[in-house]
């Protein structure tokens, strides 16, 4: 399922919000951050994404950057398929570290 469909699925958004609230690590690549925007999980975060959604990230309160992989408090993001090797390495590292204190700047309701 693509992010445009996932971001309007209430069950998906509630699932993401539960990960955010619990401090579990999260990874998103390409357009995946659209679901994080919908879940109010990006405010105050430093993130990257596919170039076409950088404005969406900024409008939702994230600091959007153009880097291969970005990690912010257990949230791993990458831009595109070419970034997958670096994304996978960082994602595995973050998942191995496990849960953290929930990120305070993110909202959990719409």
């Amino acid at each position: 399922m693509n992010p445009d469909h996932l971001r309007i699925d209430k069950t998906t958004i509630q699932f993401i919000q539960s990960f955010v609230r619990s401090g579990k690590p999260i990874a998103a690549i390409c357009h995946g951050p659209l679901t994080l925007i919908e879940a109010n999980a990006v405010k105050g975060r430093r993130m990257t994404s596919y170039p076409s959604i950088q404005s969406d990230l900024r409008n939702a309160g994230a600091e959007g950057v153009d880097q291969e992989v970005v990690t912010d408090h257990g949230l791993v993001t990458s831009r595109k398929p070419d970034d997958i090797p670096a994304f996978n390495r960082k994602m595995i590292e973050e998942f191995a570290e496990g849960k953290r204190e929930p990120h305070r700047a993110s909202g959990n309701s719409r």
Side-chain angles (χ1 to χ4, degrees):
M1 187 177 283
N2 74 48
D4 279 333
H5 290 108
L6 285 174
R7 71 188 296 188
I8 61 172
D9 181 81
K10 287 185 179 190
T11 302
T12 298
I13 299 309
Q14 290 170 347
F15 179 74
I16 293 168
Q17 289 171 335
S18 73
F19 266 63
V20 172
R21 281 191 301 272
S22 71
K24 291 179 182 176
I26 299 171
I29 190 168
C30 294
H31 290 75
L34 288 171
T35 58
L36 297 169
I37 291 169
E38 195 64 33
N40 292 319
V42 305
K43 186 175 182 180
R45 300 280 198 142
R46 187 169 186 269
M47 303 173 65
T48 193
S49 68
Y50 198 76
S52 65
I53 67 166
Q54 282 289 314
S55 294
D56 298 290
L57 285 175
R58 285 191 300 277
N59 290 338
E63 176 191 350
V65 297
D66 182 19
Q67 293 179 355
E68 183 179 55
V69 64
V70 175
T71 303
D72 183 315
H73 202 74
L75 174 62
V76 180
T77 53
S78 282
R79 303 170 297 187
K80 56 189 175 185
D82 290 345
D83 299 337
I84 288 174
F87 177 69
N88 286 345
R89 283 190 298 276
K90 190 49 116 170
M91 179 177 52
I92 289 167
E93 180 183 312
E94 290 297 309
F95 285 18
E97 288 181 20
K99 290 172 64 171
R100 292 166 180 72
E101 288 296 314
H103 181 70
R104 296 189 194 282
S106 62
N108 292 318
S109 62
R110 281 223 141 198

